[in-house]
Amino acid sequence: MRGLIPLIVFGVIAIALAIGLTNDPRRMEDMLIDQPFPEFSLPTLYEPETQHSKSDIQNQVSLINVFGSWCVTCIVEHPVLMNIAETETVRLIGHNWRDERDKAITWLARQGNPYDSIIFDPDSTLAISLGVTAAPETFITDKQGRIRYKHSGDITEKDWETVLKPLIESLQAE
Amino acid sequence: MIAEIGHFCLIAALFTAIAQCMIPLYGAANNKSDFMSFGDYAARVQFYLLIACFTALTYSFLSSDFSVKLAASHSHSLKPLIYKISGVWGNHEGSILLWMVMLGLYGFLFSVFSKRLPPVLRARTLAIQGLLGVGFISFILFTSNPFERIFPAPIDGNGLNPLLQDPGLAIHPPLLYMGYVGYSLAFSMAVAALISGKIDRDWARALKPWSLLSWSFLTLGIAMGSLWAYYELGWGGWWMWDPVENVSFMPWLIGTALLHSILVMERKQNLAHWTVLLAITAFSLSLVGTFVVRSGVLVSVHAFAVDPERGVYILALLLLSTGGALGLYALRSKTLVRRAEFDRLSREGGLVLNNLLLATATATVFLGTFYPLIMDAFTGDKISVGAPYFDLTFAPIMSVLIVFMGAAPLLKWQGDSLKTLKRFAIISLIGAVIIITFAAMFGNSVLGGLGLTLAAYLAYGAIKAFLKRRPIGQLARPAKYNLYAFFTAHLGMAVLTAGAVIMSVWADDTIGRIKPNETLNVAGYSFTLNSIKTGQNQNYGFRRGEVSVKKRGKLVDTLQTEQRFYPVRDMITTEAGFHFAPFSTVFAALGEGNPEDGYIVRANYHPAVTWIWLGALLMALAGFLSLLGLRTPSHKEVASS
C-alpha cells in the first residue's frame, strides 16, 4: 500500500497539469467578466502620498495594464501601448506590479510613459484580488467600473485593432 | 540538401532508438547476451545520428540558409558568428534537439564507461534510455520539426531575440541541459533496477558518477542563468522565483538529496526506497520543467513557444515515463529491502534529515510554482504566488537545513552521542552572539546578522569536519577526493549563503537625471557621467555613456554603459557597465535622456554579490572533484573516521 503513495501523488499532479493545459492562458477569463472592479487603495507610482482607489476608474471606460520593469514581454508590448496613448481616447491606467518604485520610474523614463496614471502595487494587494498570474495582463472596465474584458499576455497591434478597440468603442457608446 | 540529410538522420535515430529499447529488453528477459549487448551499439549509433542531425541544423544557420524556416525566423545574415551558433538552440525546436543530443550523449557515455556493471542492468538501463529517446525524437518529428522548409525563402532572417544575444546565454542552455537531461540516466538506472528488483550497494555505486555529473552541470547551468539574469535582464537581482527558474531549481534540490542518499546506500545499504524515488523524481521534475516552458501553462518572463499541442505531448511523455516508473515501484515496493532502523544521532541520521528537508524545500517551491495552476484546475480560483511566499517558506527551511548541515558531518556513522557536538555548539553560539551584535550595531540589521551567522557556522562546521578526518599535522598528505569534495561543497554553500544575505540586506542604489560631469552618490561611491557618445555597430545602434566611479576620491573603475537599439526586432536593450570585485560590485545603467535635461543614470552598489556565483562554482567544482575520485580509486586510503 505504501508503495502506491508516490503514484497517487503523481496522479493528482498530472491531473492538475492536464486541466491546466486545457486552460489556454490567453483565453478570456470568464470568472471576472461583468464583476465590479475590486475595491483598493494604493499609492500612485510618481506620488507616494496620493492614493488611487476604485472611484478613479469609474465614469469613463478604462484600460488597466499590469506591467513591471522586470517583465520582458512588457518591453515587447510597450510600443503598442505608446501608440494607443497617442492616438486613442481611452483612459490608460498602469498597474505596476511586484516592482520597486525607482526601477519602474527608470523603466518608464527609458521606454516612454503611455499611462494617464499608475497604481503602484509592490505587494500584489490589488494583483491578488484581480487574479493576476503574470505580466503583462490587461483589463477593460466600463463606465460603471465593471470588468468587461481581460487579456493575458502582450497586446499586439492585431489584438488592438480586432478586439480591444472595437470593444472600447462599444463600451464608450453604452 | 543538408537540411534533408539532417531530417533523414533524425528519422534513422528514431528507428535506432526503437531497436535500442526492444532488443536489449528481450535479451535481458531471456538471458541472451548478444541481444543484451546490442544496446551498446545502438546507443552509439543513435548518438552519432543525432550529432549529424545537429550539425546539419547548425550548418543551415551558419550558411544563412533561410529556406529552412527555423533559420529564417531565428537567424540573420548580419549576426555575429557566436550568435548564429547559439541561435540554433535559442528557440523551441533547436533547444529540444539539443535536449535530445544530450540524452543521446548520456546513453553513449554510459555505454562507454559502465563496462564493469552487470550486463542485465546495463542492457536494461540502455533500453530505458532508448525508450526515452523514442519519446523525445518522435516529439521533435511530430510537433517540432526543426528542418521544415519554407518557400519562397525570405531574403533575410528575423534575427535572434536581442535579449538572447549574449555569450552567457549562448552557453547557458547546453550547461543546463547537460545537468537536467543527465537525470535521465539516473531514471533509466532506477527503472532498470526496479525491473530486476535488485537495488543494492553496487547499484548505488553505479548511479553515483552519473548523479554527480548531472548535478555539477546543473549547478553550473543555474549559476550561469542567474548571472545572465543579473547583468542582462537589467533588473539588478540574481534570483526572482520565476517559474522557469524554479523548474530548474527543483531537480537541483532533489538531485542534491539523491547524492546524499546515495552516500547512505553505499555505506549502509539503507534508503533504497528513497534513492529510487529520488532518481525517478529528479528526472520527472526535469520533464515537468520542459513541460512548463513549452506548453504555456504558466506564463513566465522567459517562457517562449507557447503551444498547447506540444504541452499535450510532453504531458503524455511524463505520464508514461513517471507514471510507468512509479507504477513499477508500487509493484516492487514490498520486495525492496527496507531497513529503517538506525541511530537517529548519527551521520546517516543527519543525512536522512537532510533528505527530508531538501524534499520539503522542493515541495515548497513546487507548491509555490504550481499553486496558481492547481487552484485554477480544481476550484477555478485565480491567485498569484510571488517572491514573498518563497521568502517566507523557503528561507526558514534552508536555515534549518544549514543547522543540520553544519553539525551532521561531525557525527560518526552508526551512532554517536551529543558530547561530540558540545564544544562545536558552544563555540558556534559564542560566534553567533558576536556576529549578530556586530551586524545589529554597524549594519543596522539583526536579520542580516542571523544570516551571516548561519553562513559562518556552516563554514566552521565544514572546516572542523575536514580537520577531524585530516588533522593539521597531516594536511600535506593527500586525502581522499571525497573529503575535499565534501569540504568544497559545504564551503561553497556557506559562501553562497553569505553572499545572498549580504546582498539582500546591504545592497543600495540610487537613480537620477544627470548631465556630463555631474555626479550621483551611493554607499560611499561617487558615479560621474564623463561623456555620452552615439554610434552604430554590426547589428544595432547605441548610445554609450562613460561613467567613472570613485571611492574616497580614488578611481575604482571607468564603466561603459549602453542603450542599444536593434532595428531588426525594433527593440531597445540596456547594457549596464559592471565593475565586479570580491567585496563590492558597482554598476551603472544608462537610461533615456537628452543633452538639455540630462540622462537618467542608475548607480548601484551590490556588496558580495559575486560570492553567490563563487559559492555555486565551488559546489560544482566539488561535484567534479568527487567524480575524479571515482575515476582514480585510491586503495591506500581506506575509509577514514
PDB file of all heavy atoms in Angstrom, chain A residues 2-3 10 21 23 25 29 31 70 72 102-103 106 109-110 131-132, chain B residues 163 235 240 296 312 338 376 380 382 384 509 511 563 574 592 600 602:
ATOM      1  N   ARG A   2       1.914   1.219   0.872  1.00  0.00           N
ATOM      2  CA  ARG A   2       2.780   2.406   0.938  1.00  0.00           C
ATOM      3  C   ARG A   2       3.445   2.686  -0.397  1.00  0.00           C
ATOM      4  O   ARG A   2       3.731   3.824  -0.732  1.00  0.00           O
ATOM      5  CB  ARG A   2       3.844   2.202   2.021  1.00  0.00           C
ATOM      6  CG  ARG A   2       3.322   2.538   3.404  1.00  0.00           C
ATOM      7  CD  ARG A   2       4.330   2.145   4.459  1.00  0.00           C
ATOM      8  NE  ARG A   2       5.488   3.029   4.456  1.00  0.00           N
ATOM      9  CZ  ARG A   2       6.518   2.868   5.271  1.00  0.00           C
ATOM     10  NH1 ARG A   2       6.524   1.858   6.122  1.00  0.00           N
ATOM     11  NH2 ARG A   2       7.531   3.690   5.240  1.00  0.00           N
ATOM     12  N   GLY A   3       3.669   1.604  -1.135  1.00  0.00           N
ATOM     13  CA  GLY A   3       4.307   1.755  -2.440  1.00  0.00           C
ATOM     14  C   GLY A   3       3.462   2.542  -3.418  1.00  0.00           C
ATOM     15  O   GLY A   3       3.977   3.095  -4.388  1.00  0.00           O
ATOM     16  N   PHE A  10       1.582  11.580  -7.676  1.00  0.00           N
ATOM     17  CA  PHE A  10       1.876  11.946  -9.066  1.00  0.00           C
ATOM     18  C   PHE A  10       0.596  12.063  -9.878  1.00  0.00           C
ATOM     19  O   PHE A  10       0.447  12.971 -10.699  1.00  0.00           O
ATOM     20  CB  PHE A  10       2.820  10.915  -9.693  1.00  0.00           C
ATOM     21  CG  PHE A  10       3.013  11.110 -11.165  1.00  0.00           C
ATOM     22  CD1 PHE A  10       3.756  12.180 -11.635  1.00  0.00           C
ATOM     23  CD2 PHE A  10       2.440  10.248 -12.090  1.00  0.00           C
ATOM     24  CE1 PHE A  10       3.925  12.380 -12.995  1.00  0.00           C
ATOM     25  CE2 PHE A  10       2.603  10.436 -13.449  1.00  0.00           C
ATOM     26  CZ  PHE A  10       3.352  11.506 -13.900  1.00  0.00           C
ATOM     27  N   LEU A  21      -3.597  22.493 -18.791  1.00  0.00           N
ATOM     28  CA  LEU A  21      -3.319  22.551 -20.222  1.00  0.00           C
ATOM     29  C   LEU A  21      -4.553  22.944 -21.025  1.00  0.00           C
ATOM     30  O   LEU A  21      -4.442  23.595 -22.073  1.00  0.00           O
ATOM     31  CB  LEU A  21      -2.848  21.169 -20.657  1.00  0.00           C
ATOM     32  CG  LEU A  21      -1.989  21.072 -21.888  1.00  0.00           C
ATOM     33  CD1 LEU A  21      -0.750  21.915 -21.726  1.00  0.00           C
ATOM     34  CD2 LEU A  21      -1.599  19.625 -22.111  1.00  0.00           C
ATOM     35  N   ASN A  23      -6.740  24.963 -20.015  1.00  0.00           N
ATOM     36  CA  ASN A  23      -6.982  26.388 -19.815  1.00  0.00           C
ATOM     37  C   ASN A  23      -5.953  27.186 -20.592  1.00  0.00           C
ATOM     38  O   ASN A  23      -4.853  27.375 -20.125  1.00  0.00           O
ATOM     39  CB  ASN A  23      -6.848  26.763 -18.337  1.00  0.00           C
ATOM     40  CG  ASN A  23      -7.947  26.146 -17.510  1.00  0.00           C
ATOM     41  OD1 ASN A  23      -8.956  25.713 -18.047  1.00  0.00           O
ATOM     42  ND2 ASN A  23      -7.742  26.096 -16.220  1.00  0.00           N
ATOM     43  N   PRO A  25      -3.932  30.089 -21.364  1.00  0.00           N
ATOM     44  CA  PRO A  25      -3.725  31.286 -20.554  1.00  0.00           C
ATOM     45  C   PRO A  25      -4.128  32.564 -21.291  1.00  0.00           C
ATOM     46  O   PRO A  25      -4.294  33.598 -20.684  1.00  0.00           O
ATOM     47  CB  PRO A  25      -2.241  31.261 -20.234  1.00  0.00           C
ATOM     48  CG  PRO A  25      -1.632  30.343 -21.228  1.00  0.00           C
ATOM     49  CD  PRO A  25      -2.698  29.372 -21.620  1.00  0.00           C
ATOM     50  N   GLU A  29     -10.931  35.415 -19.418  1.00  0.00           N
ATOM     51  CA  GLU A  29     -11.217  34.822 -18.113  1.00  0.00           C
ATOM     52  C   GLU A  29     -12.654  35.151 -17.724  1.00  0.00           C
ATOM     53  O   GLU A  29     -12.945  36.199 -17.178  1.00  0.00           O
ATOM     54  CB  GLU A  29     -10.263  35.397 -17.072  1.00  0.00           C
ATOM     55  CG  GLU A  29      -8.815  35.471 -17.534  1.00  0.00           C
ATOM     56  CD  GLU A  29      -8.038  34.245 -17.114  1.00  0.00           C
ATOM     57  OE1 GLU A  29      -8.623  33.401 -16.415  1.00  0.00           O
ATOM     58  OE2 GLU A  29      -6.869  34.143 -17.473  1.00  0.00           O
ATOM     59  N   MET A  31     -14.523  34.238 -15.364  1.00  0.00           N
ATOM     60  CA  MET A  31     -14.786  34.457 -13.946  1.00  0.00           C
ATOM     61  C   MET A  31     -14.982  35.922 -13.565  1.00  0.00           C
ATOM     62  O   MET A  31     -15.838  36.264 -12.778  1.00  0.00           O
ATOM     63  CB  MET A  31     -13.582  33.985 -13.139  1.00  0.00           C
ATOM     64  CG  MET A  31     -13.443  32.528 -13.055  1.00  0.00           C
ATOM     65  SD  MET A  31     -13.673  32.034 -11.366  1.00  0.00           S
ATOM     66  CE  MET A  31     -13.266  33.496 -10.433  1.00  0.00           C
ATOM     67  N   TRP A  70      10.550  44.390 -14.502  1.00  0.00           N
ATOM     68  CA  TRP A  70      11.265  43.115 -14.589  1.00  0.00           C
ATOM     69  C   TRP A  70      10.720  42.248 -15.714  1.00  0.00           C
ATOM     70  O   TRP A  70      11.229  41.166 -15.984  1.00  0.00           O
ATOM     71  CB  TRP A  70      11.115  42.350 -13.268  1.00  0.00           C
ATOM     72  CG  TRP A  70       9.695  42.352 -12.778  1.00  0.00           C
ATOM     73  CD1 TRP A  70       9.148  43.259 -11.920  1.00  0.00           C
ATOM     74  CD2 TRP A  70       8.632  41.468 -13.150  1.00  0.00           C
ATOM     75  NE1 TRP A  70       7.819  42.988 -11.736  1.00  0.00           N
ATOM     76  CE2 TRP A  70       7.469  41.901 -12.475  1.00  0.00           C
ATOM     77  CE3 TRP A  70       8.554  40.354 -13.995  1.00  0.00           C
ATOM     78  CZ2 TRP A  70       6.246  41.260 -12.612  1.00  0.00           C
ATOM     79  CZ3 TRP A  70       7.328  39.727 -14.133  1.00  0.00           C
ATOM     80  CH2 TRP A  70       6.197  40.179 -13.448  1.00  0.00           C
ATOM     81  N   VAL A  72       9.903  41.013 -19.282  1.00  0.00           N
ATOM     82  CA  VAL A  72      10.482  41.154 -20.614  1.00  0.00           C
ATOM     83  C   VAL A  72       9.406  41.362 -21.683  1.00  0.00           C
ATOM     84  O   VAL A  72       9.550  42.187 -22.572  1.00  0.00           O
ATOM     85  CB  VAL A  72      11.332  39.920 -20.967  1.00  0.00           C
ATOM     86  CG1 VAL A  72      11.923  40.069 -22.355  1.00  0.00           C
ATOM     87  CG2 VAL A  72      12.442  39.751 -19.951  1.00  0.00           C
ATOM     88  N   ASP A 102      11.718  53.021  -7.883  1.00  0.00           N
ATOM     89  CA  ASP A 102      12.688  53.704  -8.762  1.00  0.00           C
ATOM     90  C   ASP A 102      12.980  52.892 -10.024  1.00  0.00           C
ATOM     91  O   ASP A 102      13.222  53.440 -11.088  1.00  0.00           O
ATOM     92  CB  ASP A 102      13.974  54.047  -8.008  1.00  0.00           C
ATOM     93  CG  ASP A 102      14.632  52.821  -7.427  1.00  0.00           C
ATOM     94  OD1 ASP A 102      13.990  51.740  -7.449  1.00  0.00           O
ATOM     95  OD2 ASP A 102      15.771  52.913  -6.955  1.00  0.00           O
ATOM     96  N   LYS A 103      12.873  51.569  -9.885  1.00  0.00           N
ATOM     97  CA  LYS A 103      13.097  50.747 -11.079  1.00  0.00           C
ATOM     98  C   LYS A 103      12.007  51.008 -12.101  1.00  0.00           C
ATOM     99  O   LYS A 103      12.261  51.132 -13.297  1.00  0.00           O
ATOM    100  CB  LYS A 103      13.109  49.266 -10.715  1.00  0.00           C
ATOM    101  CG  LYS A 103      14.382  48.839 -10.018  1.00  0.00           C
ATOM    102  CD  LYS A 103      14.395  47.347  -9.784  1.00  0.00           C
ATOM    103  CE  LYS A 103      15.540  46.978  -8.847  1.00  0.00           C
ATOM    104  NZ  LYS A 103      15.402  45.648  -8.309  1.00  0.00           N
ATOM    105  N   THR A 106      12.543  54.491 -13.737  1.00  0.00           N
ATOM    106  CA  THR A 106      13.592  54.483 -14.769  1.00  0.00           C
ATOM    107  C   THR A 106      13.113  53.782 -16.012  1.00  0.00           C
ATOM    108  O   THR A 106      13.396  54.207 -17.131  1.00  0.00           O
ATOM    109  CB  THR A 106      14.814  53.609 -14.366  1.00  0.00           C
ATOM    110  OG1 THR A 106      14.866  53.495 -12.986  1.00  0.00           O
ATOM    111  CG2 THR A 106      16.068  54.127 -14.961  1.00  0.00           C
ATOM    112  N   ALA A 109      10.966  55.952 -17.895  1.00  0.00           N
ATOM    113  CA  ALA A 109      11.736  57.052 -18.480  1.00  0.00           C
ATOM    114  C   ALA A 109      12.427  56.565 -19.742  1.00  0.00           C
ATOM    115  O   ALA A 109      12.551  57.279 -20.732  1.00  0.00           O
ATOM    116  CB  ALA A 109      12.754  57.560 -17.467  1.00  0.00           C
ATOM    117  N   ARG A 110      12.837  55.304 -19.706  1.00  0.00           N
ATOM    118  CA  ARG A 110      13.565  54.744 -20.834  1.00  0.00           C
ATOM    119  C   ARG A 110      12.616  54.356 -21.971  1.00  0.00           C
ATOM    120  O   ARG A 110      12.894  54.602 -23.137  1.00  0.00           O
ATOM    121  CB  ARG A 110      14.311  53.503 -20.344  1.00  0.00           C
ATOM    122  CG  ARG A 110      15.217  52.877 -21.354  1.00  0.00           C
ATOM    123  CD  ARG A 110      15.745  51.555 -20.824  1.00  0.00           C
ATOM    124  NE  ARG A 110      16.480  51.703 -19.578  1.00  0.00           N
ATOM    125  CZ  ARG A 110      16.559  50.745 -18.646  1.00  0.00           C
ATOM    126  NH1 ARG A 110      15.934  49.606 -18.805  1.00  0.00           N
ATOM    127  NH2 ARG A 110      17.257  50.942 -17.558  1.00  0.00           N
ATOM    128  N   GLY A 131      -6.601  38.479  -9.570  1.00  0.00           N
ATOM    129  CA  GLY A 131      -6.202  37.179 -10.096  1.00  0.00           C
ATOM    130  C   GLY A 131      -5.123  37.272 -11.158  1.00  0.00           C
ATOM    131  O   GLY A 131      -5.077  36.475 -12.090  1.00  0.00           O
ATOM    132  N   VAL A 132      -4.245  38.243 -11.000  1.00  0.00           N
ATOM    133  CA  VAL A 132      -3.165  38.381 -11.973  1.00  0.00           C
ATOM    134  C   VAL A 132      -2.180  37.236 -11.793  1.00  0.00           C
ATOM    135  O   VAL A 132      -1.765  36.944 -10.684  1.00  0.00           O
ATOM    136  CB  VAL A 132      -2.428  39.719 -11.765  1.00  0.00           C
ATOM    137  CG1 VAL A 132      -1.198  39.791 -12.632  1.00  0.00           C
ATOM    138  CG2 VAL A 132      -3.366  40.873 -12.062  1.00  0.00           C
TER     139      VAL A 132
ATOM    140  N   LEU B 163      17.697  39.931 -26.444  1.00  0.00           N
ATOM    141  CA  LEU B 163      17.978  39.539 -25.063  1.00  0.00           C
ATOM    142  C   LEU B 163      18.785  38.255 -25.008  1.00  0.00           C
ATOM    143  O   LEU B 163      19.471  37.967 -24.041  1.00  0.00           O
ATOM    144  CB  LEU B 163      16.674  39.334 -24.302  1.00  0.00           C
ATOM    145  CG  LEU B 163      15.965  40.614 -23.898  1.00  0.00           C
ATOM    146  CD1 LEU B 163      14.555  40.308 -23.456  1.00  0.00           C
ATOM    147  CD2 LEU B 163      16.725  41.328 -22.809  1.00  0.00           C
ATOM    148  N   TRP B 235      17.527  43.946 -14.178  1.00  0.00           N
ATOM    149  CA  TRP B 235      16.724  44.329 -13.027  1.00  0.00           C
ATOM    150  C   TRP B 235      17.541  44.298 -11.744  1.00  0.00           C
ATOM    151  O   TRP B 235      17.044  44.589 -10.667  1.00  0.00           O
ATOM    152  CB  TRP B 235      15.454  43.504 -12.910  1.00  0.00           C
ATOM    153  CG  TRP B 235      15.664  42.019 -13.009  1.00  0.00           C
ATOM    154  CD1 TRP B 235      15.780  41.305 -14.156  1.00  0.00           C
ATOM    155  CD2 TRP B 235      15.797  41.091 -11.944  1.00  0.00           C
ATOM    156  NE1 TRP B 235      15.966  39.990 -13.867  1.00  0.00           N
ATOM    157  CE2 TRP B 235      15.979  39.828 -12.528  1.00  0.00           C
ATOM    158  CE3 TRP B 235      15.766  41.195 -10.552  1.00  0.00           C
ATOM    159  CZ2 TRP B 235      16.149  38.688 -11.751  1.00  0.00           C
ATOM    160  CZ3 TRP B 235      15.932  40.049  -9.806  1.00  0.00           C
ATOM    161  CH2 TRP B 235      16.125  38.811 -10.406  1.00  0.00           C
ATOM    162  N   MET B 240      14.723  35.351  -8.917  1.00  0.00           N
ATOM    163  CA  MET B 240      13.446  36.017  -8.922  1.00  0.00           C
ATOM    164  C   MET B 240      12.285  35.107  -8.583  1.00  0.00           C
ATOM    165  O   MET B 240      11.158  35.534  -8.525  1.00  0.00           O
ATOM    166  CB  MET B 240      13.246  36.577 -10.318  1.00  0.00           C
ATOM    167  CG  MET B 240      12.162  37.577 -10.338  1.00  0.00           C
ATOM    168  SD  MET B 240      12.093  38.313 -11.920  1.00  0.00           S
ATOM    169  CE  MET B 240      10.416  38.851 -11.848  1.00  0.00           C
ATOM    170  N   GLY B 296       3.144  26.550 -22.073  1.00  0.00           N
ATOM    171  CA  GLY B 296       2.462  27.796 -21.794  1.00  0.00           C
ATOM    172  C   GLY B 296       1.441  27.692 -20.678  1.00  0.00           C
ATOM    173  O   GLY B 296       0.600  28.566 -20.537  1.00  0.00           O
ATOM    174  N   VAL B 312       0.555  18.862 -24.609  1.00  0.00           N
ATOM    175  CA  VAL B 312      -0.115  17.556 -24.535  1.00  0.00           C
ATOM    176  C   VAL B 312       0.904  16.443 -24.737  1.00  0.00           C
ATOM    177  O   VAL B 312       0.919  15.455 -24.017  1.00  0.00           O
ATOM    178  CB  VAL B 312      -1.228  17.455 -25.605  1.00  0.00           C
ATOM    179  CG1 VAL B 312      -1.786  16.047 -25.671  1.00  0.00           C
ATOM    180  CG2 VAL B 312      -2.334  18.445 -25.297  1.00  0.00           C
ATOM    181  N   ARG B 338      13.896  -2.947   3.145  1.00  0.00           N
ATOM    182  CA  ARG B 338      13.532  -1.788   3.942  1.00  0.00           C
ATOM    183  C   ARG B 338      14.201  -1.958   5.300  1.00  0.00           C
ATOM    184  O   ARG B 338      13.790  -2.762   6.115  1.00  0.00           O
ATOM    185  CB  ARG B 338      12.012  -1.713   4.081  1.00  0.00           C
ATOM    186  CG  ARG B 338      11.514  -0.439   4.740  1.00  0.00           C
ATOM    187  CD  ARG B 338      10.040  -0.551   5.058  1.00  0.00           C
ATOM    188  NE  ARG B 338       9.222  -0.555   3.846  1.00  0.00           N
ATOM    189  CZ  ARG B 338       8.878   0.551   3.181  1.00  0.00           C
ATOM    190  NH1 ARG B 338       9.310   1.725   3.581  1.00  0.00           N
ATOM    191  NH2 ARG B 338       8.129   0.474   2.112  1.00  0.00           N
ATOM    192  N   ASP B 376      -6.482  26.827  -9.947  1.00  0.00           N
ATOM    193  CA  ASP B 376      -7.277  27.119 -11.121  1.00  0.00           C
ATOM    194  C   ASP B 376      -7.941  25.839 -11.628  1.00  0.00           C
ATOM    195  O   ASP B 376      -9.119  25.810 -11.943  1.00  0.00           O
ATOM    196  CB  ASP B 376      -6.372  27.739 -12.196  1.00  0.00           C
ATOM    197  CG  ASP B 376      -7.190  28.301 -13.346  1.00  0.00           C
ATOM    198  OD1 ASP B 376      -8.423  28.328 -13.232  1.00  0.00           O
ATOM    199  OD2 ASP B 376      -6.588  28.701 -14.349  1.00  0.00           O
ATOM    200  N   GLY B 380     -11.054  26.773  -9.809  1.00  0.00           N
ATOM    201  CA  GLY B 380     -11.339  27.897 -10.684  1.00  0.00           C
ATOM    202  C   GLY B 380     -10.892  29.231 -10.089  1.00  0.00           C
ATOM    203  O   GLY B 380     -11.015  30.262 -10.727  1.00  0.00           O
ATOM    204  N   LYS B 382      -8.404  32.134  -9.174  1.00  0.00           N
ATOM    205  CA  LYS B 382      -7.163  32.593  -9.782  1.00  0.00           C
ATOM    206  C   LYS B 382      -6.393  33.390  -8.753  1.00  0.00           C
ATOM    207  O   LYS B 382      -6.861  34.383  -8.230  1.00  0.00           O
ATOM    208  CB  LYS B 382      -7.462  33.464 -10.992  1.00  0.00           C
ATOM    209  CG  LYS B 382      -8.461  32.815 -11.913  1.00  0.00           C
ATOM    210  CD  LYS B 382      -8.185  33.114 -13.366  1.00  0.00           C
ATOM    211  CE  LYS B 382      -9.173  32.392 -14.257  1.00  0.00           C
ATOM    212  NZ  LYS B 382      -8.857  30.981 -14.404  1.00  0.00           N
ATOM    213  N   SER B 384      -2.203  34.518  -7.273  1.00  0.00           N
ATOM    214  CA  SER B 384      -0.808  34.596  -7.674  1.00  0.00           C
ATOM    215  C   SER B 384       0.074  34.398  -6.461  1.00  0.00           C
ATOM    216  O   SER B 384      -0.282  34.749  -5.346  1.00  0.00           O
ATOM    217  CB  SER B 384      -0.540  35.939  -8.341  1.00  0.00           C
ATOM    218  OG  SER B 384       0.021  36.816  -7.421  1.00  0.00           O
ATOM    219  N   ASP B 509      21.030  51.440  -4.039  1.00  0.00           N
ATOM    220  CA  ASP B 509      21.172  52.070  -5.341  1.00  0.00           C
ATOM    221  C   ASP B 509      20.466  53.418  -5.363  1.00  0.00           C
ATOM    222  O   ASP B 509      19.699  53.758  -4.468  1.00  0.00           O
ATOM    223  CB  ASP B 509      20.669  51.170  -6.487  1.00  0.00           C
ATOM    224  CG  ASP B 509      19.232  50.741  -6.292  1.00  0.00           C
ATOM    225  OD1 ASP B 509      18.436  51.534  -5.777  1.00  0.00           O
ATOM    226  OD2 ASP B 509      18.909  49.597  -6.658  1.00  0.00           O
ATOM    227  N   ILE B 511      19.119  56.727  -8.236  1.00  0.00           N
ATOM    228  CA  ILE B 511      18.784  56.970  -9.617  1.00  0.00           C
ATOM    229  C   ILE B 511      18.636  58.471  -9.796  1.00  0.00           C
ATOM    230  O   ILE B 511      18.173  59.167  -8.900  1.00  0.00           O
ATOM    231  CB  ILE B 511      17.479  56.233  -9.930  1.00  0.00           C
ATOM    232  CG1 ILE B 511      17.224  56.188 -11.404  1.00  0.00           C
ATOM    233  CG2 ILE B 511      16.302  56.836  -9.241  1.00  0.00           C
ATOM    234  CD1 ILE B 511      16.250  55.069 -11.681  1.00  0.00           C
ATOM    235  N   GLN B 563      22.800  52.044 -24.203  1.00  0.00           N
ATOM    236  CA  GLN B 563      21.446  51.721 -24.626  1.00  0.00           C
ATOM    237  C   GLN B 563      21.573  51.304 -26.057  1.00  0.00           C
ATOM    238  O   GLN B 563      22.156  52.026 -26.869  1.00  0.00           O
ATOM    239  CB  GLN B 563      20.569  52.961 -24.529  1.00  0.00           C
ATOM    240  CG  GLN B 563      19.892  53.105 -23.197  1.00  0.00           C
ATOM    241  CD  GLN B 563      18.550  53.763 -23.353  1.00  0.00           C
ATOM    242  OE1 GLN B 563      18.458  54.829 -23.927  1.00  0.00           O
ATOM    243  NE2 GLN B 563      17.513  53.135 -22.841  1.00  0.00           N
ATOM    244  N   THR B 574      19.291  47.579 -22.587  1.00  0.00           N
ATOM    245  CA  THR B 574      20.281  48.339 -21.832  1.00  0.00           C
ATOM    246  C   THR B 574      21.422  47.420 -21.461  1.00  0.00           C
ATOM    247  O   THR B 574      21.203  46.312 -20.993  1.00  0.00           O
ATOM    248  CB  THR B 574      19.652  48.890 -20.548  1.00  0.00           C
ATOM    249  OG1 THR B 574      18.616  49.771 -20.912  1.00  0.00           O
ATOM    250  CG2 THR B 574      20.680  49.642 -19.737  1.00  0.00           C
ATOM    251  N   GLU B 592      17.049  56.795 -20.637  1.00  0.00           N
ATOM    252  CA  GLU B 592      16.673  57.836 -21.591  1.00  0.00           C
ATOM    253  C   GLU B 592      17.323  59.164 -21.262  1.00  0.00           C
ATOM    254  O   GLU B 592      17.790  59.385 -20.149  1.00  0.00           O
ATOM    255  CB  GLU B 592      15.151  58.042 -21.516  1.00  0.00           C
ATOM    256  CG  GLU B 592      14.357  57.126 -22.406  1.00  0.00           C
ATOM    257  CD  GLU B 592      14.837  57.159 -23.834  1.00  0.00           C
ATOM    258  OE1 GLU B 592      14.782  58.240 -24.440  1.00  0.00           O
ATOM    259  OE2 GLU B 592      15.271  56.106 -24.345  1.00  0.00           O
ATOM    260  N   ILE B 600      19.048  59.807 -17.657  1.00  0.00           N
ATOM    261  CA  ILE B 600      18.760  59.002 -16.475  1.00  0.00           C
ATOM    262  C   ILE B 600      19.921  58.027 -16.270  1.00  0.00           C
ATOM    263  O   ILE B 600      20.293  57.290 -17.173  1.00  0.00           O
ATOM    264  CB  ILE B 600      17.474  58.179 -16.676  1.00  0.00           C
ATOM    265  CG1 ILE B 600      16.288  59.087 -16.933  1.00  0.00           C
ATOM    266  CG2 ILE B 600      17.252  57.227 -15.528  1.00  0.00           C
ATOM    267  CD1 ILE B 600      15.536  59.507 -15.723  1.00  0.00           C
ATOM    268  N   ARG B 602      21.402  55.109 -13.474  1.00  0.00           N
ATOM    269  CA  ARG B 602      21.169  54.387 -12.247  1.00  0.00           C
ATOM    270  C   ARG B 602      22.501  53.886 -11.719  1.00  0.00           C
ATOM    271  O   ARG B 602      23.285  53.275 -12.437  1.00  0.00           O
ATOM    272  CB  ARG B 602      20.238  53.209 -12.510  1.00  0.00           C
ATOM    273  CG  ARG B 602      19.746  52.680 -11.222  1.00  0.00           C
ATOM    274  CD  ARG B 602      18.583  51.769 -11.435  1.00  0.00           C
ATOM    275  NE  ARG B 602      18.749  50.742 -10.433  1.00  0.00           N
ATOM    276  CZ  ARG B 602      18.068  49.642 -10.403  1.00  0.00           C
ATOM    277  NH1 ARG B 602      17.188  49.393 -11.326  1.00  0.00           N
ATOM    278  NH2 ARG B 602      18.273  48.771  -9.458  1.00  0.00           N
TER     279      ARG B 602
END
